[in-house]
Amino acid sequence: MATGPVRISRVDKSSIDWTVLVQVIETDRVKIARDGDLSRSFHRFQFGDFQGIKVSTVVFDDAVIIVDGLLLPFRKYYISNAEVHEIPELVGTGLYSFYWVINEGTITEESAASEELALPFYFELRSFQYFHFMADTDTLIS
């Protein structure tokens, strides 16, 4: 593991030898993208830190096997030295304008739950009384 943890917001393309304590907020299933005869498998995650900053993360091809069964929802991990890429302007960004790619050089280590502060609650809860406003929209209600 690299030197002491920093916040997600402090990690950018010029960061070297960084470590962040994150909580897995969402994990998707492994998907396969096809382009003609070529195919590429990928697995998406969303992480968050104790400040409420979120980062989208993706794992491609052979590295999918490395994280299979490792990054579980609601658990905390130290992530070190993932590739950092800027989110294209067309996509739009939230508070953090980068995404991470986990590869063979990325270090992931589960955090002992008792030694760290609790991370914020990430669910966006809505009252049932407002669901009718979203009924005829493309907004996902889960």
Side-chain angles (χ1 to χ4, degrees):
M1 184 169 57
T3 58
V6 296
R7 299 179 300 243
I8 288 175
S9 60
R10 300 283 311 256
V11 177
D12 60 25
K13 290 172 67 170
S14 64
S15 299
I16 298 171
D17 197 31
W18 54 267
T19 299
V20 176
L21 174 64
V22 298
Q23 181 174 15
V24 178
I25 300 169
E26 293 180 28
T27 179
D28 206 351
R29 61 182 176 79
V30 176
K31 297 181 181 178
I32 297 176
R34 298 191 196 293
D35 184 14
D37 291 338
L38 300 174
S39 66
R40 188 168 203 190
S41 60
F42 63 96
H43 195 165
R44 292 183 191 200
F45 298 92
Q46 187 167 40
F47 300 149
D49 69 5
F50 67 94
Q51 290 187 313
I53 304 295
K54 298 177 185 176
V55 60
S56 294
T57 306
V58 66
V59 184
F60 291 108
D61 300 323
D62 293 339
V64 169
I65 297 167
I66 295 171
V67 299
D68 187 36
L70 174 65
L71 298 171
L72 302 174
F74 313 115
R75 292 200 181 167
K76 295 180 279 185
Y77 297 89
Y78 289 103
I79 305 291
S80 299
N81 301 322
E83 292 178 24
V84 180
H85 298 274
E86 197 159 353
I87 297 173
E89 288 183 27
L90 297 174
V91 175
T93 62
L95 296 174
Y96 185 66
S97 59
F98 299 95
Y99 69 95
W100 298 349
V101 176
I102 293 177
N103 57 31
E104 294 83 9
T106 303
I107 300 168
T108 57
E109 181 180 310
E110 189 166 3
S111 169
S114 62
E115 71 182 42
E116 303 298 336
L117 298 173
L119 299 178
F121 192 74
Y122 285 99
F123 295 104
E124 295 177 21
L125 301 177
R126 301 182 196 274
S127 172
F128 282 108
Q129 69 185 10
Y130 298 110
F131 280 0
H132 67 279
F133 290 119
M134 294 183 278
D136 293 327
T137 68
D138 291 334
T139 303
L140 177 65
I141 302 172
S142 58

